[in-house]
Amino acid sequence: MHVETLIIGAGPAGLTTAYELTKAGRSVAMVERDTFYVGGISRTVNYKGYRFDIGGHRFFSKSAEVEAWWTEIMGDEMLQRPRSSRIYYNSKLFDYPLRAGDALSKLGPVEALRCVLSYGWAQLRPYKNVVSFEQWVVNNFGRRLFQIFFKTYTEKVWGMDCNDISADWAAQRIKGLNLYQAIIQSFGLGKPKAHDDVIKTLINSFRYPRLGPGQMWERTRDKIVAQGGKVMMGSTVTTISQHHGTGQWVAIVTDAHGKETKVTADHVVSTAAINELVKMLGADNDAAVAAASKGLRYRDFLIIGLITRGKESFDDNWIYIHDPSVKVGRIQNFKSWSPDMVPDPDTACYGMEYFCNAGDDTWDMADADLIARAKFEIGKLGLANPDDIVDASVVRQPKAYPVYDDTYKINVDTITEGLAEQFKNMHLAGRNGMHKYNNQDHAMMTGILTAKNIIAGTEAHDVWTVNEDAEYHEGGQAGADKIEERLVPRRIA
Ligand SMILES: Cc1cc2nc3c(=O)[nH]c(=O)nc-3n(C[C@H](O)[C@H](O)[C@H](O)COP(=O)(O)OP(=O)(O)OC[C@H]3O[C@@H](n4cnc5c(N)ncnc54)[C@H](O)[C@@H]3O)c2cc1C
């Protein structure tokens, strides 16, 4: 088979590239490892009609082009949904974003007094040389509030001790939040800053496909096929090499039954993890590239869908679990994302999210044991009665987060520079494809620009300059044509 462009991976980045290319009449073949689902991390898993979103995907972009793209694909099926999320701590649900009045009243007078005293102590005896996330938060909020609202969840998600996370992240992420002012304002004194008003209005809603994010990507796949593109499911590229004379790519695509197909292409777009691409290229013969490839790390994730009889116990889209006695990090309530995610209105469906590393105890646990743990934990938290749980299913998501550590940038540069000659018509796109911590809109933007380059036969658009979407849903304006730097914690050097 010969195509102009071979695309590895049918996630948002690959599908966007294929859609744009086929719309312009270009020939495309896509290779997707999953036998059934397109959408990658943004797929929606259908379990007996119950739809699980792998992480809860809000559709919100500061890029007008991306917002218009979503409307083009989904039309009326794109809902505008209210956003609500709270923090669970000590059997209580606290407003998120945190409001001082709500937090202090729910903590109760004794704990509230302890928090205020601990805050006062931190003002008197602050850390002088602040290098860690922990030190920064303790200086600004006091140790007790750090322990209640920052430590547990941060450590669950990132798998790092707060003492090992650089203070920069806290300084950028929690900027503008001043406890003293917040307390004053909670008593109706003082004026909220204009910036706070903007945040309040913009985080209150987001767009969402009626049947979950996968509906967007399944529709996109159907349109690609209707526009003449080929989608090869349950397949991976086992080897890929470039013909010295013609410069054409020759890929061996192997399907789930071991059947091999030779595909030649003028361009390859890879959204597979960079270290997997290195293997496909056989570039791990080069010691420096092999070492860099090995050095790229990921954080993994699994979600356990629990189906319960009766009405859900909370209306929020999701709840952050700050309780250190359970391992679950976040709980999704899929019906609040869209009522049609749950086929039987007399049931509810929760997504118990566990952040882990492939190969650790959680990841390796048998599904039955994971379900037993999830049932026990949701019961312990008092958010559902384990006896009401009628069914459950586990979904694993390897490489959910590309890890930003001290060496990741050097590693990515070593690989891209080592393969620079080939990368002239080998295009890297997407999240793991570029080892960039980005959301769907950013992954899509790299696909849109790559398609523009291929169609025009130039390298006019540099996908590496598309920055990640900053504070994301916590601020900024939808469709404002501005995608900014995304904030990710880094380990202290
Ligand atoms: C917990 C969590 C919450 C998130 N929340 C949001 C949110 O609220 N809003 C938002 O916009 N984004 C969110 N994201 C980010 C979003 O999921 C990603 O940005 C997006 O899916 C990246 O798209 P991609 O195409 O680059 O990669 P992926 O989604 O990873 O897709 C890559 C595809 O390539 C396939 N593939 C990989 N290697 C190979 C290979 N060797 N051969 C064949 N196929 C291969 C995979 O199977 C997959 O289908 C969230 C992510 C996580 C983990």
Side-chain angles (χ1 to χ4, degrees):
M1 187 203 308
H2 178 78
V3 285
E4 184 186 27
T5 305
L6 173 68
I7 300 174
I8 307 173
L15 288 163
T16 305
T17 317
Y19 178 76
E20 294 295 316
L21 287 174
T22 52
K23 196 174 165 190
R26 303 305 184 98
S27 70
V28 165
M30 300 190 77
V31 178
E32 169 53 49
R33 180 161 44 205
D34 199 289
T35 46
F36 189 70
Y37 292 107
V38 293
I41 306 170
S42 310
R43 70 194 179 283
T44 301
V45 171
N46 186 332
Y47 177 73
K48 301 181 186 173
Y50 289 83
R51 290 167 200 273
F52 305 158
D53 177 341
I54 318 303
H57 282 74
R58 285 173 285 169
F59 284 68
F60 177 98
S61 181
K62 291 176 193 164
S63 158
E65 194 172 358
V66 170
E67 287 279 352
W69 204 100
W70 289 336
T71 306
E72 179 179 327
I73 300 288
M74 294 301 298
D76 293 346
E77 291 282 275
M78 198 67 169
L79 313 176
Q80 188 76 38
R81 297 296 298 160
R83 173 223 158 120
S84 157
S85 56
R86 282 181 291 171
I87 290 175
Y88 179 100
Y89 175 78
N90 203 15
S91 308
K92 295 207 175 76
L93 290 167
F94 294 79
D95 286 351
Y96 180 83
L98 282 173
R99 287 187 311 109
D102 174 74
L104 294 176
S105 69
K106 285 180 183 155
L107 286 170
V110 176
E111 187 59 64
L113 182 64
R114 276 196 198 133
C115 290
V116 170
L117 290 176
S118 135
Y119 172 68
W121 180 252
Q123 301 314 296
L124 289 174
R125 305 278 306 266
Y127 288 104
K128 293 265 159 24
N129 180 21
V130 177
V131 289
S132 74
F133 176 81
E134 175 162 338
Q135 292 166 336
W136 192 96
V137 178
V138 170
N139 270 6
N140 285 274
F141 298 95
R143 182 158 294 280
R144 278 213 85 83
L145 282 172
F146 162 73
Q147 276 162 345
I148 295 170
F149 291 122
F150 295 91
K151 181 177 165 63
T152 310
Y153 184 71
T154 306
E155 292 183 352
K156 280 182 187 174
V157 175
W158 298 106
M160 286 188 261
D161 194 289
C162 287
N163 256 320
D164 294 335
I165 297 175
S166 152
D168 307 349
W169 185 57
Q172 291 166 325
R173 202 180 145 79
I174 317 169
K175 69 174 174 235
L177 190 61
N178 175 310
L179 188 68
Y180 175 72
Q181 275 177 8
I183 292 172
I184 296 288
Q185 280 159 22
S186 72
F187 290 111
L189 305 169
K191 248 185 158 185
K193 282 183 281 167
H195 176 67
D196 297 341
D197 290 340
V198 172
I199 288 179
K200 259 185 221 133
T201 51
L202 288 170
I203 56 175
N204 285 343
S205 74
F206 54 85
R207 294 212 288 167
Y208 195 68
R210 186 176 63 83
L211 297 174
Q215 187 185 14
M216 168 81 69
W217 303 116
E218 286 154 23
R219 280 195 170 199
T220 307
R221 176 209 47 211
D222 294 347
K223 286 179 193 262
I224 292 165
V225 172
Q227 286 169 179
K230 187 162 174 52
V231 183
M232 304 162 86
M233 298 301 292
S235 302
T236 59
V237 171
T238 5
T239 62
I240 185 162
S241 57
Q242 208 166 19
H243 189 279
H244 289 303
T246 61
Q248 249 181 20
W249 288 100
V250 183
I252 302 299
V253 177
T254 310
D255 73 11
H257 309 290
K259 188 175 154 245
E260 291 186 345
T261 307
K262 183 169 149 186
V263 182
T264 57
D266 305 321
H267 295 269
V268 171
V269 178
S270 175
T271 71
I274 295 183
N275 55 8
E276 290 183 35
L277 177 67
V278 164
K279 276 203 195 113
M280 293 175 214
L281 287 163
D284 41 359
N285 288 336
D286 177 316
V289 171
S293 172
K294 253 193 166 162
L296 291 177
R297 296 192 309 115
Y298 304 86
R299 185 127 172 95
D300 311 284
F301 172 86
L302 62 84
I303 185 158
I304 302 162
L306 297 179
I307 299 164
T308 68
R309 269 190 299 260
K311 201 184 146 11
E312 57 275 21
S313 59
F314 57 92
D315 288 334
D316 307 71
N317 309 96
W318 70 92
I319 289 183
Y320 300 101
I321 306 298
H322 284 230
D323 190 316
S325 71
V326 291
K327 288 209 154 67
V328 64
R330 217 166 41 171
I331 304 182
Q332 300 289 345
N333 171 13
F334 292 125
K335 220 197 246 177
S336 286
W337 287 82
S338 162
D340 291 333
M341 297 286 277
V342 174
D344 177 352
D346 294 329
T347 59
C349 184
Y350 302 109
M352 304 282 284
E353 299 185 337
Y354 293 85
F355 303 89
C356 50
N357 290 329
D360 71 11
D361 292 352
T362 302
W363 184 265
D364 282 347
M365 214 180 240
D367 284 6
D369 295 336
L370 282 170
I371 290 170
R373 178 197 273 180
K375 279 183 177 176
F376 170 77
E377 291 192 348
I378 202 165
K380 182 165 193 228
L381 297 171
L383 293 174
N385 179 350
D387 295 339
D388 289 338
I389 296 168
V390 289
D391 206 348
S393 182
V394 178
V395 181
R396 287 182 172 74
Q397 178 57 57
K399 297 193 167 99
Y401 299 92
V403 167
Y404 282 13
D405 56 19
D406 287 341
T407 53
Y408 92 93
K409 220 169 180 339
I410 300 169
N411 289 333
V412 171
D413 289 349
T414 305
I415 296 167
T416 50
E417 280 160 23
L419 303 174
E421 270 308 301
Q422 300 181 4
F423 281 167
K424 283 203 177 119
N425 49 5
M426 163 70 73
H427 311 264
L428 303 192
R431 181 166 164 118
N432 289 331
M434 298 170 72
H435 205 86
K436 281 198 145 196
Y437 185 90
N438 52 46
N439 276 311
Q440 289 174 106
D441 61 337
H442 174 264
M444 290 175 64
M445 189 52 79
T446 62
I448 290 172
L449 296 183
T450 301
K452 282 185 179 164
N453 280 343
I454 293 173
I455 291 166
T458 65
E459 290 175 21
H461 301 283
D462 182 358
V463 293
W464 296 93
T465 62
V466 179
N467 283 324
E468 297 92 333
D469 200 356
E471 296 154 70
Y472 201 54
H473 312 282
E474 314 305 348
Q477 201 182 340
D481 257 340
K482 189 164 154 259
I483 296 185
E484 297 156 345
E485 190 68 28
R486 185 94 198 274
L487 308 173
V488 181
R490 288 162 200 258
R491 197 178 278 278
I492 296 170

PDB file of all heavy atoms in Angstrom, residues 257-275:
ATOM      1  N   HIS A 257      -3.410 -10.234  14.639  1.00  0.00           N
ATOM      2  CA  HIS A 257      -3.223 -11.663  14.325  1.00  0.00           C
ATOM      3  C   HIS A 257      -1.822 -11.960  13.802  1.00  0.00           C
ATOM      4  O   HIS A 257      -1.545 -13.065  13.350  1.00  0.00           O
ATOM      5  CB  HIS A 257      -4.260 -12.110  13.288  1.00  0.00           C
ATOM      6  CG  HIS A 257      -5.656 -11.743  13.678  1.00  0.00           C
ATOM      7  ND1 HIS A 257      -6.303 -12.346  14.726  1.00  0.00           N
ATOM      8  CD2 HIS A 257      -6.501 -10.802  13.189  1.00  0.00           C
ATOM      9  CE1 HIS A 257      -7.506 -11.805  14.857  1.00  0.00           C
ATOM     10  NE2 HIS A 257      -7.638 -10.853  13.951  1.00  0.00           N
ATOM     11  N   GLY A 258      -0.963 -10.939  13.810  1.00  0.00           N
ATOM     12  CA  GLY A 258       0.413 -11.140  13.353  1.00  0.00           C
ATOM     13  C   GLY A 258       0.571 -10.962  11.853  1.00  0.00           C
ATOM     14  O   GLY A 258       1.657 -11.152  11.306  1.00  0.00           O
ATOM     15  N   LYS A 259      -0.498 -10.565  11.175  1.00  0.00           N
ATOM     16  CA  LYS A 259      -0.407 -10.377   9.717  1.00  0.00           C
ATOM     17  C   LYS A 259       0.331  -9.067   9.416  1.00  0.00           C
ATOM     18  O   LYS A 259       0.027  -8.016  10.000  1.00  0.00           O
ATOM     19  CB  LYS A 259      -1.824 -10.338   9.129  1.00  0.00           C
ATOM     20  CG  LYS A 259      -1.816 -10.333   7.628  1.00  0.00           C
ATOM     21  CD  LYS A 259      -3.231 -10.408   7.063  1.00  0.00           C
ATOM     22  CE  LYS A 259      -3.257  -9.782   5.682  1.00  0.00           C
ATOM     23  NZ  LYS A 259      -4.041  -8.598   5.556  1.00  0.00           N
ATOM     24  N   GLU A 260       1.312  -9.164   8.504  1.00  0.00           N
ATOM     25  CA  GLU A 260       2.125  -7.975   8.199  1.00  0.00           C
ATOM     26  C   GLU A 260       1.693  -7.329   6.882  1.00  0.00           C
ATOM     27  O   GLU A 260       1.420  -8.025   5.909  1.00  0.00           O
ATOM     28  CB  GLU A 260       3.608  -8.376   8.106  1.00  0.00           C
ATOM     29  CG  GLU A 260       4.167  -8.781   9.465  1.00  0.00           C
ATOM     30  CD  GLU A 260       5.669  -9.034   9.431  1.00  0.00           C
ATOM     31  OE1 GLU A 260       6.237  -9.171   8.326  1.00  0.00           O
ATOM     32  OE2 GLU A 260       6.260  -9.088  10.528  1.00  0.00           O
ATOM     33  N   THR A 261       1.656  -5.994   6.874  1.00  0.00           N
ATOM     34  CA  THR A 261       1.361  -5.248   5.644  1.00  0.00           C
ATOM     35  C   THR A 261       2.490  -4.230   5.460  1.00  0.00           C
ATOM     36  O   THR A 261       2.874  -3.559   6.416  1.00  0.00           O
ATOM     37  CB  THR A 261       0.019  -4.469   5.771  1.00  0.00           C
ATOM     38  OG1 THR A 261      -0.990  -5.376   6.172  1.00  0.00           O
ATOM     39  CG2 THR A 261      -0.361  -3.798   4.468  1.00  0.00           C
ATOM     40  N   LYS A 262       2.976  -4.163   4.209  1.00  0.00           N
ATOM     41  CA  LYS A 262       4.029  -3.168   3.944  1.00  0.00           C
ATOM     42  C   LYS A 262       3.353  -1.882   3.456  1.00  0.00           C
ATOM     43  O   LYS A 262       2.554  -1.923   2.522  1.00  0.00           O
ATOM     44  CB  LYS A 262       4.974  -3.729   2.884  1.00  0.00           C
ATOM     45  CG  LYS A 262       6.137  -2.837   2.559  1.00  0.00           C
ATOM     46  CD  LYS A 262       7.136  -3.617   1.721  1.00  0.00           C
ATOM     47  CE  LYS A 262       7.865  -2.715   0.778  1.00  0.00           C
ATOM     48  NZ  LYS A 262       8.730  -3.449  -0.133  1.00  0.00           N
ATOM     49  N   VAL A 263       3.653  -0.795   4.114  1.00  0.00           N
ATOM     50  CA  VAL A 263       3.075   0.493   3.712  1.00  0.00           C
ATOM     51  C   VAL A 263       4.220   1.443   3.370  1.00  0.00           C
ATOM     52  O   VAL A 263       5.147   1.603   4.167  1.00  0.00           O
ATOM     53  CB  VAL A 263       2.225   1.123   4.856  1.00  0.00           C
ATOM     54  CG1 VAL A 263       1.593   2.438   4.403  1.00  0.00           C
ATOM     55  CG2 VAL A 263       1.156   0.156   5.346  1.00  0.00           C
ATOM     56  N   THR A 264       4.163   2.054   2.190  1.00  0.00           N
ATOM     57  CA  THR A 264       5.163   3.079   1.876  1.00  0.00           C
ATOM     58  C   THR A 264       4.483   4.450   1.944  1.00  0.00           C
ATOM     59  O   THR A 264       3.281   4.570   1.677  1.00  0.00           O
ATOM     60  CB  THR A 264       5.789   2.866   0.478  1.00  0.00           C
ATOM     61  OG1 THR A 264       4.752   2.853  -0.492  1.00  0.00           O
ATOM     62  CG2 THR A 264       6.577   1.562   0.418  1.00  0.00           C
ATOM     63  N   ALA A 265       5.270   5.462   2.348  1.00  0.00           N
ATOM     64  CA  ALA A 265       4.681   6.801   2.538  1.00  0.00           C
ATOM     65  C   ALA A 265       5.738   7.879   2.331  1.00  0.00           C
ATOM     66  O   ALA A 265       6.929   7.648   2.580  1.00  0.00           O
ATOM     67  CB  ALA A 265       4.110   6.909   3.953  1.00  0.00           C
ATOM     68  N   ASP A 266       5.288   9.046   1.873  1.00  0.00           N
ATOM     69  CA  ASP A 266       6.217  10.183   1.718  1.00  0.00           C
ATOM     70  C   ASP A 266       6.461  10.865   3.067  1.00  0.00           C
ATOM     71  O   ASP A 266       7.525  11.418   3.311  1.00  0.00           O
ATOM     72  CB  ASP A 266       5.630  11.205   0.730  1.00  0.00           C
ATOM     73  CG  ASP A 266       5.283  10.554  -0.593  1.00  0.00           C
ATOM     74  OD1 ASP A 266       6.068   9.688  -1.033  1.00  0.00           O
ATOM     75  OD2 ASP A 266       4.215  10.858  -1.162  1.00  0.00           O
ATOM     76  N   HIS A 267       5.434  10.859   3.904  1.00  0.00           N
ATOM     77  CA  HIS A 267       5.558  11.466   5.237  1.00  0.00           C
ATOM     78  C   HIS A 267       5.082  10.481   6.292  1.00  0.00           C
ATOM     79  O   HIS A 267       4.149   9.712   6.030  1.00  0.00           O
ATOM     80  CB  HIS A 267       4.651  12.702   5.369  1.00  0.00           C
ATOM     81  CG  HIS A 267       5.031  13.821   4.466  1.00  0.00           C
ATOM     82  ND1 HIS A 267       5.906  14.801   4.843  1.00  0.00           N
ATOM     83  CD2 HIS A 267       4.650  14.117   3.194  1.00  0.00           C
ATOM     84  CE1 HIS A 267       6.052  15.665   3.846  1.00  0.00           C
ATOM     85  NE2 HIS A 267       5.294  15.272   2.833  1.00  0.00           N
ATOM     86  N   VAL A 268       5.698  10.558   7.468  1.00  0.00           N
ATOM     87  CA  VAL A 268       5.187   9.811   8.621  1.00  0.00           C
ATOM     88  C   VAL A 268       4.906  10.822   9.733  1.00  0.00           C
ATOM     89  O   VAL A 268       5.730  11.697  10.007  1.00  0.00           O
ATOM     90  CB  VAL A 268       6.195   8.753   9.115  1.00  0.00           C
ATOM     91  CG1 VAL A 268       5.742   8.141  10.435  1.00  0.00           C
ATOM     92  CG2 VAL A 268       6.367   7.647   8.071  1.00  0.00           C
ATOM     93  N   VAL A 269       3.722  10.709  10.355  1.00  0.00           N
ATOM     94  CA  VAL A 269       3.404  11.520  11.532  1.00  0.00           C
ATOM     95  C   VAL A 269       3.327  10.548  12.700  1.00  0.00           C
ATOM     96  O   VAL A 269       2.522   9.616  12.674  1.00  0.00           O
ATOM     97  CB  VAL A 269       2.050  12.257  11.359  1.00  0.00           C
ATOM     98  CG1 VAL A 269       1.725  13.058  12.620  1.00  0.00           C
ATOM     99  CG2 VAL A 269       2.079  13.157  10.128  1.00  0.00           C
ATOM    100  N   SER A 270       4.167  10.745  13.707  1.00  0.00           N
ATOM    101  CA  SER A 270       4.151   9.827  14.853  1.00  0.00           C
ATOM    102  C   SER A 270       3.602  10.508  16.088  1.00  0.00           C
ATOM    103  O   SER A 270       4.119  11.531  16.534  1.00  0.00           O
ATOM    104  CB  SER A 270       5.550   9.291  15.156  1.00  0.00           C
ATOM    105  OG  SER A 270       5.476   8.512  16.342  1.00  0.00           O
ATOM    106  N   THR A 271       2.539   9.912  16.642  1.00  0.00           N
ATOM    107  CA  THR A 271       2.024  10.372  17.937  1.00  0.00           C
ATOM    108  C   THR A 271       2.284   9.298  18.997  1.00  0.00           C
ATOM    109  O   THR A 271       1.807   9.403  20.120  1.00  0.00           O
ATOM    110  CB  THR A 271       0.515  10.711  17.868  1.00  0.00           C
ATOM    111  OG1 THR A 271      -0.243   9.502  17.731  1.00  0.00           O
ATOM    112  CG2 THR A 271       0.192  11.625  16.703  1.00  0.00           C
ATOM    113  N   ALA A 272       3.019   8.255  18.619  1.00  0.00           N
ATOM    114  CA  ALA A 272       3.423   7.223  19.590  1.00  0.00           C
ATOM    115  C   ALA A 272       4.481   7.828  20.515  1.00  0.00           C
ATOM    116  O   ALA A 272       5.154   8.804  20.146  1.00  0.00           O
ATOM    117  CB  ALA A 272       4.005   6.020  18.850  1.00  0.00           C
ATOM    118  N   ALA A 273       4.634   7.263  21.699  1.00  0.00           N
ATOM    119  CA  ALA A 273       5.659   7.763  22.621  1.00  0.00           C
ATOM    120  C   ALA A 273       7.016   7.763  21.907  1.00  0.00           C
ATOM    121  O   ALA A 273       7.329   6.823  21.158  1.00  0.00           O
ATOM    122  CB  ALA A 273       5.706   6.883  23.857  1.00  0.00           C
ATOM    123  N   ILE A 274       7.815   8.800  22.164  1.00  0.00           N
ATOM    124  CA  ILE A 274       9.084   8.954  21.438  1.00  0.00           C
ATOM    125  C   ILE A 274       9.951   7.713  21.593  1.00  0.00           C
ATOM    126  O   ILE A 274      10.592   7.262  20.635  1.00  0.00           O
ATOM    127  CB  ILE A 274       9.851  10.205  21.934  1.00  0.00           C
ATOM    128  CG1 ILE A 274       9.054  11.465  21.603  1.00  0.00           C
ATOM    129  CG2 ILE A 274      11.230  10.290  21.304  1.00  0.00           C
ATOM    130  CD1 ILE A 274       9.740  12.760  21.984  1.00  0.00           C
ATOM    131  N   ASN A 275       9.963   7.130  22.806  1.00  0.00           N
ATOM    132  CA  ASN A 275      10.851   5.968  22.990  1.00  0.00           C
ATOM    133  C   ASN A 275      10.374   4.749  22.193  1.00  0.00           C
ATOM    134  O   ASN A 275      11.172   3.905  21.806  1.00  0.00           O
ATOM    135  CB  ASN A 275      11.069   5.645  24.475  1.00  0.00           C
ATOM    136  CG  ASN A 275       9.792   5.437  25.240  1.00  0.00           C
ATOM    137  OD1 ASN A 275       8.719   5.379  24.642  1.00  0.00           O
ATOM    138  ND2 ASN A 275       9.894   5.317  26.551  1.00  0.00           N
TER     139      ASN A 275
END
